[in-house]
Amino acid sequence: MLEIQTPETIMFWILAPVSVLAALGMLLVKKAVHSALLLAWVMVTLAIFYIAQGALFLGIVQIVVYTGAVMMLFLFILMLVGVDASDSLTETISGLRPIAITAAVGFGGLFVSLIGRATIGHKPYGLEFANSNGNVEGLAKELFSTYVWPFEVISALLVTAALGAMVLAHHQRTIARPSQREQSIARFRTGSLAGAAGLPSPGVFARHNAVDVPALLPDGTAAPTSISATLKARGDMLESQSFELSEVDNTVTEEK
Amino acid sequence: MSPYNYLYVAGLLFTIGAVGVVVRRNAIVVFMCIELMLNAANLTLVTFSRINGTLDGQIVAFFTMVVAACEVVVGLAIIVAIYRSRRSASIDDASLLKR
């Protein structure tokens, strides 16, 4: 019969609500990066739960594999796909959200009542006997005796997954890469000669020479092509009008 | 407190993950919700391992972690491949077979 000590109870009642709240926040936040950070937090709390439940090896593996490798992979892909590609929270299928929430409440209720029914009168054992030689030693004994065949199969799965990722990432060109000369000819053959010399560089000369301000064309209008599309999508672009002579405070204060 | 409380947490996390898969549109967020569901399943396995006093549940949870790692590798490669061809990571945009 298992007796749970007070420290674990306190740990549970602090971390369990926090992890559930973080998981809920994962659904509600708009940016994918924030979702990833909240998921990393949920995974760290789960690792603490594993260690508290006598699964020391799994707790370490959870931190190393999940919060280390898997979440890093997620963040890499987020950077690749574009951090600015934030999710629109509008429903595309009408009535999907109420149905999903109703189904979730039903499923959750069923799950909770099922656990409640299944555990009445059942006495938990605890891992003291199984972990008596150490958790890692016990796991190794099981893994390399009873579960050695699944272990081999799972190594084949890992190799297959690595190969599959390589096949998916492989990109075969259907047309040859255009050479610099061909690109230059194509630029000159377009309708106007405006783009032939390349795109304008950002910044208003002698006023604000940073990459977030569009350059001014000779007629005084801003050139939107001089700004990186990512900056524009993120809304980090400044108006070049705010750096005009009449707008800028150019009174010289004298130091005493 | 009894260790069964961990099972309730796992059930809640699994339900939240399932809702996320249905409700969210960004393919990467959907994928993260699947990871959350797998993690919740792992928590039940570890808890059952403790309740029954054997290490089999922990072994299966270990296998689940390996499978989840494989799944992330292939799934993210698919997302990147789709993003490269359609310039979008929204799962609603990948509906070519519908029309």
PDB file of all heavy atoms in Angstrom, chain B residues 19-48:
ATOM      1  N   VAL B  19      -8.879  19.306 -28.161  1.00  0.00           N
ATOM      2  CA  VAL B  19      -9.576  20.523 -28.588  1.00  0.00           C
ATOM      3  C   VAL B  19      -8.666  21.371 -29.467  1.00  0.00           C
ATOM      4  O   VAL B  19      -9.091  21.906 -30.494  1.00  0.00           O
ATOM      5  CB  VAL B  19     -10.051  21.324 -27.357  1.00  0.00           C
ATOM      6  CG1 VAL B  19     -10.680  22.629 -27.792  1.00  0.00           C
ATOM      7  CG2 VAL B  19     -11.036  20.529 -26.569  1.00  0.00           C
ATOM      8  N   GLY B  20      -7.386  21.460 -29.073  1.00  0.00           N
ATOM      9  CA  GLY B  20      -6.445  22.264 -29.851  1.00  0.00           C
ATOM     10  C   GLY B  20      -6.297  21.748 -31.261  1.00  0.00           C
ATOM     11  O   GLY B  20      -6.249  22.525 -32.212  1.00  0.00           O
ATOM     12  N   VAL B  21      -6.245  20.425 -31.416  1.00  0.00           N
ATOM     13  CA  VAL B  21      -6.110  19.857 -32.763  1.00  0.00           C
ATOM     14  C   VAL B  21      -7.300  20.264 -33.624  1.00  0.00           C
ATOM     15  O   VAL B  21      -7.161  20.569 -34.808  1.00  0.00           O
ATOM     16  CB  VAL B  21      -5.988  18.321 -32.677  1.00  0.00           C
ATOM     17  CG1 VAL B  21      -6.084  17.705 -34.049  1.00  0.00           C
ATOM     18  CG2 VAL B  21      -4.677  17.947 -32.043  1.00  0.00           C
ATOM     19  N   VAL B  22      -8.499  20.302 -33.013  1.00  0.00           N
ATOM     20  CA  VAL B  22      -9.692  20.612 -33.806  1.00  0.00           C
ATOM     21  C   VAL B  22      -9.790  22.112 -34.069  1.00  0.00           C
ATOM     22  O   VAL B  22     -10.149  22.536 -35.172  1.00  0.00           O
ATOM     23  CB  VAL B  22     -10.947  20.096 -33.071  1.00  0.00           C
ATOM     24  CG1 VAL B  22     -12.195  20.465 -33.837  1.00  0.00           C
ATOM     25  CG2 VAL B  22     -10.863  18.609 -32.901  1.00  0.00           C
ATOM     26  N   VAL B  23      -9.457  22.930 -33.068  1.00  0.00           N
ATOM     27  CA  VAL B  23      -9.799  24.350 -33.139  1.00  0.00           C
ATOM     28  C   VAL B  23      -8.718  25.178 -33.835  1.00  0.00           C
ATOM     29  O   VAL B  23      -9.036  26.063 -34.623  1.00  0.00           O
ATOM     30  CB  VAL B  23     -10.052  24.873 -31.703  1.00  0.00           C
ATOM     31  CG1 VAL B  23     -10.102  26.375 -31.682  1.00  0.00           C
ATOM     32  CG2 VAL B  23     -11.359  24.315 -31.190  1.00  0.00           C
ATOM     33  N   ARG B  24      -7.446  24.896 -33.575  1.00  0.00           N
ATOM     34  CA  ARG B  24      -6.395  25.761 -34.107  1.00  0.00           C
ATOM     35  C   ARG B  24      -6.165  25.514 -35.591  1.00  0.00           C
ATOM     36  O   ARG B  24      -6.400  24.408 -36.084  1.00  0.00           O
ATOM     37  CB  ARG B  24      -5.084  25.560 -33.347  1.00  0.00           C
ATOM     38  CG  ARG B  24      -5.148  25.992 -31.915  1.00  0.00           C
ATOM     39  CD  ARG B  24      -5.479  27.450 -31.756  1.00  0.00           C
ATOM     40  NE  ARG B  24      -4.463  28.323 -32.289  1.00  0.00           N
ATOM     41  CZ  ARG B  24      -3.598  29.006 -31.553  1.00  0.00           C
ATOM     42  NH1 ARG B  24      -3.613  28.918 -30.266  1.00  0.00           N
ATOM     43  NH2 ARG B  24      -2.723  29.799 -32.132  1.00  0.00           N
ATOM     44  N   ARG B  25      -5.690  26.544 -36.294  1.00  0.00           N
ATOM     45  CA  ARG B  25      -5.535  26.461 -37.746  1.00  0.00           C
ATOM     46  C   ARG B  25      -4.078  26.337 -38.184  1.00  0.00           C
ATOM     47  O   ARG B  25      -3.801  25.814 -39.241  1.00  0.00           O
ATOM     48  CB  ARG B  25      -6.133  27.704 -38.418  1.00  0.00           C
ATOM     49  CG  ARG B  25      -7.592  27.911 -38.159  1.00  0.00           C
ATOM     50  CD  ARG B  25      -8.440  27.292 -39.253  1.00  0.00           C
ATOM     51  NE  ARG B  25      -8.380  25.838 -39.239  1.00  0.00           N
ATOM     52  CZ  ARG B  25      -9.160  25.087 -38.504  1.00  0.00           C
ATOM     53  NH1 ARG B  25     -10.065  25.605 -37.749  1.00  0.00           N
ATOM     54  NH2 ARG B  25      -9.046  23.773 -38.534  1.00  0.00           N
ATOM     55  N   ASN B  26      -3.166  26.873 -37.377  1.00  0.00           N
ATOM     56  CA  ASN B  26      -1.752  26.821 -37.725  1.00  0.00           C
ATOM     57  C   ASN B  26      -1.256  25.379 -37.586  1.00  0.00           C
ATOM     58  O   ASN B  26      -1.408  24.762 -36.536  1.00  0.00           O
ATOM     59  CB  ASN B  26      -0.985  27.749 -36.788  1.00  0.00           C
ATOM     60  CG  ASN B  26       0.443  27.939 -37.217  1.00  0.00           C
ATOM     61  OD1 ASN B  26       1.000  27.089 -37.888  1.00  0.00           O
ATOM     62  ND2 ASN B  26       1.019  29.053 -36.846  1.00  0.00           N
ATOM     63  N   ALA B  27      -0.659  24.849 -38.654  1.00  0.00           N
ATOM     64  CA  ALA B  27      -0.258  23.441 -38.644  1.00  0.00           C
ATOM     65  C   ALA B  27       0.730  23.151 -37.521  1.00  0.00           C
ATOM     66  O   ALA B  27       0.688  22.077 -36.917  1.00  0.00           O
ATOM     67  CB  ALA B  27       0.349  23.073 -39.981  1.00  0.00           C
ATOM     68  N   ILE B  28       1.613  24.104 -37.206  1.00  0.00           N
ATOM     69  CA  ILE B  28       2.619  23.856 -36.167  1.00  0.00           C
ATOM     70  C   ILE B  28       1.952  23.783 -34.801  1.00  0.00           C
ATOM     71  O   ILE B  28       2.297  22.940 -33.969  1.00  0.00           O
ATOM     72  CB  ILE B  28       3.694  24.947 -36.220  1.00  0.00           C
ATOM     73  CG1 ILE B  28       4.346  24.916 -37.594  1.00  0.00           C
ATOM     74  CG2 ILE B  28       4.724  24.746 -35.162  1.00  0.00           C
ATOM     75  CD1 ILE B  28       5.285  26.037 -37.824  1.00  0.00           C
ATOM     76  N   VAL B  29       0.959  24.647 -34.566  1.00  0.00           N
ATOM     77  CA  VAL B  29       0.266  24.620 -33.269  1.00  0.00           C
ATOM     78  C   VAL B  29      -0.527  23.315 -33.139  1.00  0.00           C
ATOM     79  O   VAL B  29      -0.563  22.704 -32.067  1.00  0.00           O
ATOM     80  CB  VAL B  29      -0.639  25.848 -33.121  1.00  0.00           C
ATOM     81  CG1 VAL B  29      -1.368  25.816 -31.807  1.00  0.00           C
ATOM     82  CG2 VAL B  29       0.187  27.107 -33.212  1.00  0.00           C
ATOM     83  N   VAL B  30      -1.151  22.881 -34.241  1.00  0.00           N
ATOM     84  CA  VAL B  30      -1.868  21.605 -34.227  1.00  0.00           C
ATOM     85  C   VAL B  30      -0.910  20.483 -33.846  1.00  0.00           C
ATOM     86  O   VAL B  30      -1.223  19.610 -33.023  1.00  0.00           O
ATOM     87  CB  VAL B  30      -2.506  21.342 -35.609  1.00  0.00           C
ATOM     88  CG1 VAL B  30      -3.020  19.922 -35.706  1.00  0.00           C
ATOM     89  CG2 VAL B  30      -3.629  22.310 -35.855  1.00  0.00           C
ATOM     90  N   PHE B  31       0.287  20.550 -34.407  1.00  0.00           N
ATOM     91  CA  PHE B  31       1.288  19.531 -34.125  1.00  0.00           C
ATOM     92  C   PHE B  31       1.710  19.555 -32.666  1.00  0.00           C
ATOM     93  O   PHE B  31       1.888  18.512 -32.038  1.00  0.00           O
ATOM     94  CB  PHE B  31       2.484  19.803 -35.019  1.00  0.00           C
ATOM     95  CG  PHE B  31       3.084  18.573 -35.535  1.00  0.00           C
ATOM     96  CD1 PHE B  31       2.377  17.768 -36.402  1.00  0.00           C
ATOM     97  CD2 PHE B  31       4.326  18.192 -35.141  1.00  0.00           C
ATOM     98  CE1 PHE B  31       2.915  16.609 -36.854  1.00  0.00           C
ATOM     99  CE2 PHE B  31       4.872  17.033 -35.596  1.00  0.00           C
ATOM    100  CZ  PHE B  31       4.179  16.235 -36.447  1.00  0.00           C
ATOM    101  N   MET B  32       1.839  20.767 -32.109  1.00  0.00           N
ATOM    102  CA  MET B  32       2.207  20.876 -30.695  1.00  0.00           C
ATOM    103  C   MET B  32       1.098  20.287 -29.816  1.00  0.00           C
ATOM    104  O   MET B  32       1.375  19.675 -28.787  1.00  0.00           O
ATOM    105  CB  MET B  32       2.474  22.329 -30.344  1.00  0.00           C
ATOM    106  CG  MET B  32       3.775  22.823 -30.893  1.00  0.00           C
ATOM    107  SD  MET B  32       4.310  24.351 -30.167  1.00  0.00           S
ATOM    108  CE  MET B  32       3.472  25.518 -31.156  1.00  0.00           C
ATOM    109  N   CYS B  33      -0.161  20.456 -30.239  1.00  0.00           N
ATOM    110  CA  CYS B  33      -1.258  19.888 -29.462  1.00  0.00           C
ATOM    111  C   CYS B  33      -1.208  18.361 -29.494  1.00  0.00           C
ATOM    112  O   CYS B  33      -1.506  17.703 -28.489  1.00  0.00           O
ATOM    113  CB  CYS B  33      -2.593  20.392 -29.993  1.00  0.00           C
ATOM    114  SG  CYS B  33      -2.864  22.114 -29.626  1.00  0.00           S
ATOM    115  N   ILE B  34      -0.800  17.792 -30.637  1.00  0.00           N
ATOM    116  CA  ILE B  34      -0.636  16.335 -30.692  1.00  0.00           C
ATOM    117  C   ILE B  34       0.442  15.898 -29.714  1.00  0.00           C
ATOM    118  O   ILE B  34       0.300  14.886 -29.007  1.00  0.00           O
ATOM    119  CB  ILE B  34      -0.308  15.905 -32.129  1.00  0.00           C
ATOM    120  CG1 ILE B  34      -1.491  16.204 -33.049  1.00  0.00           C
ATOM    121  CG2 ILE B  34       0.015  14.428 -32.186  1.00  0.00           C
ATOM    122  CD1 ILE B  34      -1.200  15.939 -34.485  1.00  0.00           C
ATOM    123  N   GLU B  35       1.527  16.678 -29.650  1.00  0.00           N
ATOM    124  CA  GLU B  35       2.589  16.371 -28.685  1.00  0.00           C
ATOM    125  C   GLU B  35       2.052  16.398 -27.262  1.00  0.00           C
ATOM    126  O   GLU B  35       2.414  15.568 -26.435  1.00  0.00           O
ATOM    127  CB  GLU B  35       3.721  17.385 -28.807  1.00  0.00           C
ATOM    128  CG  GLU B  35       4.562  17.205 -30.029  1.00  0.00           C
ATOM    129  CD  GLU B  35       5.193  15.837 -30.078  1.00  0.00           C
ATOM    130  OE1 GLU B  35       5.805  15.436 -29.089  1.00  0.00           O
ATOM    131  OE2 GLU B  35       5.044  15.159 -31.101  1.00  0.00           O
ATOM    132  N   LEU B  36       1.179  17.373 -26.987  1.00  0.00           N
ATOM    133  CA  LEU B  36       0.585  17.469 -25.648  1.00  0.00           C
ATOM    134  C   LEU B  36      -0.221  16.209 -25.336  1.00  0.00           C
ATOM    135  O   LEU B  36      -0.139  15.665 -24.222  1.00  0.00           O
ATOM    136  CB  LEU B  36      -0.305  18.705 -25.578  1.00  0.00           C
ATOM    137  CG  LEU B  36      -0.932  18.998 -24.235  1.00  0.00           C
ATOM    138  CD1 LEU B  36       0.128  19.364 -23.232  1.00  0.00           C
ATOM    139  CD2 LEU B  36      -1.935  20.110 -24.340  1.00  0.00           C
ATOM    140  N   MET B  37      -0.982  15.710 -26.321  1.00  0.00           N
ATOM    141  CA  MET B  37      -1.766  14.490 -26.097  1.00  0.00           C
ATOM    142  C   MET B  37      -0.855  13.303 -25.818  1.00  0.00           C
ATOM    143  O   MET B  37      -1.125  12.489 -24.923  1.00  0.00           O
ATOM    144  CB  MET B  37      -2.645  14.215 -27.321  1.00  0.00           C
ATOM    145  CG  MET B  37      -3.776  15.201 -27.470  1.00  0.00           C
ATOM    146  SD  MET B  37      -4.485  15.174 -29.112  1.00  0.00           S
ATOM    147  CE  MET B  37      -5.455  13.704 -29.055  1.00  0.00           C
ATOM    148  N   LEU B  38       0.254  13.208 -26.578  1.00  0.00           N
ATOM    149  CA  LEU B  38       1.192  12.096 -26.346  1.00  0.00           C
ATOM    150  C   LEU B  38       1.790  12.182 -24.949  1.00  0.00           C
ATOM    151  O   LEU B  38       1.957  11.167 -24.259  1.00  0.00           O
ATOM    152  CB  LEU B  38       2.301  12.140 -27.390  1.00  0.00           C
ATOM    153  CG  LEU B  38       1.936  11.563 -28.751  1.00  0.00           C
ATOM    154  CD1 LEU B  38       2.995  11.921 -29.757  1.00  0.00           C
ATOM    155  CD2 LEU B  38       1.819  10.069 -28.653  1.00  0.00           C
ATOM    156  N   ASN B  39       2.105  13.422 -24.518  1.00  0.00           N
ATOM    157  CA  ASN B  39       2.667  13.601 -23.184  1.00  0.00           C
ATOM    158  C   ASN B  39       1.684  13.200 -22.104  1.00  0.00           C
ATOM    159  O   ASN B  39       2.062  12.614 -21.094  1.00  0.00           O
ATOM    160  CB  ASN B  39       3.088  15.049 -23.001  1.00  0.00           C
ATOM    161  CG  ASN B  39       4.515  15.265 -23.394  1.00  0.00           C
ATOM    162  OD1 ASN B  39       5.409  14.863 -22.679  1.00  0.00           O
ATOM    163  ND2 ASN B  39       4.738  15.856 -24.536  1.00  0.00           N
ATOM    164  N   ALA B  40       0.405  13.546 -22.326  1.00  0.00           N
ATOM    165  CA  ALA B  40      -0.613  13.166 -21.348  1.00  0.00           C
ATOM    166  C   ALA B  40      -0.707  11.650 -21.254  1.00  0.00           C
ATOM    167  O   ALA B  40      -0.806  11.077 -20.154  1.00  0.00           O
ATOM    168  CB  ALA B  40      -1.960  13.768 -21.747  1.00  0.00           C
ATOM    169  N   ALA B  41      -0.642  10.974 -22.403  1.00  0.00           N
ATOM    170  CA  ALA B  41      -0.675   9.510 -22.387  1.00  0.00           C
ATOM    171  C   ALA B  41       0.519   8.957 -21.626  1.00  0.00           C
ATOM    172  O   ALA B  41       0.397   7.995 -20.853  1.00  0.00           O
ATOM    173  CB  ALA B  41      -0.688   8.978 -23.816  1.00  0.00           C
ATOM    174  N   ASN B  42       1.683   9.606 -21.806  1.00  0.00           N
ATOM    175  CA  ASN B  42       2.876   9.170 -21.076  1.00  0.00           C
ATOM    176  C   ASN B  42       2.691   9.310 -19.574  1.00  0.00           C
ATOM    177  O   ASN B  42       3.130   8.453 -18.804  1.00  0.00           O
ATOM    178  CB  ASN B  42       4.079  10.014 -21.501  1.00  0.00           C
ATOM    179  CG  ASN B  42       4.789   9.403 -22.667  1.00  0.00           C
ATOM    180  OD1 ASN B  42       4.479   8.294 -23.061  1.00  0.00           O
ATOM    181  ND2 ASN B  42       5.721  10.134 -23.223  1.00  0.00           N
ATOM    182  N   LEU B  43       2.045  10.406 -19.171  1.00  0.00           N
ATOM    183  CA  LEU B  43       1.832  10.600 -17.731  1.00  0.00           C
ATOM    184  C   LEU B  43       0.949   9.485 -17.172  1.00  0.00           C
ATOM    185  O   LEU B  43       1.214   8.963 -16.077  1.00  0.00           O
ATOM    186  CB  LEU B  43       1.207  11.971 -17.482  1.00  0.00           C
ATOM    187  CG  LEU B  43       0.985  12.331 -16.022  1.00  0.00           C
ATOM    188  CD1 LEU B  43       2.286  12.299 -15.260  1.00  0.00           C
ATOM    189  CD2 LEU B  43       0.350  13.691 -15.883  1.00  0.00           C
ATOM    190  N   THR B  44      -0.093   9.082 -17.916  1.00  0.00           N
ATOM    191  CA  THR B  44      -0.917   7.961 -17.434  1.00  0.00           C
ATOM    192  C   THR B  44      -0.084   6.702 -17.330  1.00  0.00           C
ATOM    193  O   THR B  44      -0.218   5.952 -16.367  1.00  0.00           O
ATOM    194  CB  THR B  44      -2.104   7.677 -18.368  1.00  0.00           C
ATOM    195  OG1 THR B  44      -1.661   7.740 -19.692  1.00  0.00           O
ATOM    196  CG2 THR B  44      -3.243   8.591 -18.133  1.00  0.00           C
ATOM    197  N   LEU B  45       0.784   6.461 -18.320  1.00  0.00           N
ATOM    198  CA  LEU B  45       1.588   5.230 -18.286  1.00  0.00           C
ATOM    199  C   LEU B  45       2.496   5.206 -17.062  1.00  0.00           C
ATOM    200  O   LEU B  45       2.592   4.187 -16.370  1.00  0.00           O
ATOM    201  CB  LEU B  45       2.416   5.118 -19.565  1.00  0.00           C
ATOM    202  CG  LEU B  45       1.630   4.717 -20.809  1.00  0.00           C
ATOM    203  CD1 LEU B  45       2.491   4.866 -22.037  1.00  0.00           C
ATOM    204  CD2 LEU B  45       1.145   3.296 -20.678  1.00  0.00           C
ATOM    205  N   VAL B  46       3.148   6.355 -16.787  1.00  0.00           N
ATOM    206  CA  VAL B  46       4.055   6.406 -15.632  1.00  0.00           C
ATOM    207  C   VAL B  46       3.264   6.223 -14.339  1.00  0.00           C
ATOM    208  O   VAL B  46       3.690   5.504 -13.417  1.00  0.00           O
ATOM    209  CB  VAL B  46       4.835   7.735 -15.635  1.00  0.00           C
ATOM    210  CG1 VAL B  46       5.607   7.907 -14.352  1.00  0.00           C
ATOM    211  CG2 VAL B  46       5.786   7.774 -16.812  1.00  0.00           C
ATOM    212  N   THR B  47       2.077   6.852 -14.280  1.00  0.00           N
ATOM    213  CA  THR B  47       1.276   6.723 -13.062  1.00  0.00           C
ATOM    214  C   THR B  47       0.797   5.284 -12.857  1.00  0.00           C
ATOM    215  O   THR B  47       0.839   4.754 -11.743  1.00  0.00           O
ATOM    216  CB  THR B  47       0.071   7.669 -13.140  1.00  0.00           C
ATOM    217  OG1 THR B  47       0.523   8.948 -13.515  1.00  0.00           O
ATOM    218  CG2 THR B  47      -0.620   7.761 -11.809  1.00  0.00           C
ATOM    219  N   PHE B  48       0.381   4.640 -13.943  1.00  0.00           N
ATOM    220  CA  PHE B  48      -0.056   3.240 -13.810  1.00  0.00           C
ATOM    221  C   PHE B  48       1.102   2.346 -13.415  1.00  0.00           C
ATOM    222  O   PHE B  48       0.923   1.378 -12.664  1.00  0.00           O
ATOM    223  CB  PHE B  48      -0.673   2.751 -15.120  1.00  0.00           C
ATOM    224  CG  PHE B  48      -2.113   3.126 -15.260  1.00  0.00           C
ATOM    225  CD1 PHE B  48      -2.584   3.718 -16.407  1.00  0.00           C
ATOM    226  CD2 PHE B  48      -3.005   2.885 -14.228  1.00  0.00           C
ATOM    227  CE1 PHE B  48      -3.901   4.074 -16.531  1.00  0.00           C
ATOM    228  CE2 PHE B  48      -4.335   3.231 -14.346  1.00  0.00           C
ATOM    229  CZ  PHE B  48      -4.782   3.832 -15.500  1.00  0.00           C
TER     230      PHE B  48
END
